[in-house]
Amino acid sequence: MRGSGKTTNGKILSENLGWKFIDIDHVVEENLGKSIKRFVSEEGSWEEFRKIELEALQKTLEKYPKNTVVSTGLFKKSDLNSDKKKRWGNS
């Protein structure tokens, strides 16, 4: 879903709702100290990146459980642990 407008649309949605906006790609890049592209080419694979992305998402949802628009890539609700699923309804 790269380049599909997730960040742009997420920012617009969060502004309209008056909610916080978080782009998980930016969180991951900040945590890694490098771009995702660089991480994948130098140190890992897309599969490893997805694990890091999911961990960042889970931590973000713990920190901001309400009134937050989160932009993420190939995330499915089923990827979250059962505690997180309860907040989002049944899977």
Side-chain angles (χ1 to χ4, degrees), residues 3 10 12-13 21 25-26 28 33 38 61 71 73-74 82 85:
I12 292 168
L13 177 61
F21 174 77
D25 284 352
H26 294 160
V28 170
R38 184 170 164 203
L61 292 175
S71 172
L74 297 175
S82 59
K85 287 182 193 177

Side-chain angles (χ1 to χ4, degrees), residues 49-58 75 79-80:
F49 163 71
R50 293 295 173 208
K51 290 177 188 176
I52 293 168
E53 179 187 42
L54 180 58
E55 183 178 310
L57 175 63
Q58 290 177 326
F75 158 74
D79 292 336
L80 292 174

Side-chain angles (χ1 to χ4, degrees), residues 51-72:
K51 290 177 188 176
I52 293 168
E53 179 187 42
L54 180 58
E55 183 178 310
L57 175 63
Q58 290 177 326
K59 287 180 180 181
T60 298
L61 292 175
E62 288 171 7
K63 188 172 182 179
Y64 304 102
K66 294 182 179 182
N67 302 336
T68 305
V69 175
V70 179
S71 172
T72 186

Side-chain angles (χ1 to χ4, degrees), residues 24-33 36 49 52-53 56:
I24 293 298
D25 284 352
H26 294 160
V27 172
V28 170
E29 288 178 336
E30 187 175 300
N31 291 344
L32 293 173
I36 294 165
F49 163 71
I52 293 168
E53 179 187 42

Side-chain angles (χ1 to χ4, degrees), residues 6-21:
K6 297 179 301 294
T7 299
T8 300
N9 289 311
K11 286 179 180 179
I12 292 168
L13 177 61
S14 68
E15 287 173 15
N16 286 333
L17 293 171
W19 291 5
K20 182 172 188 61
F21 174 77

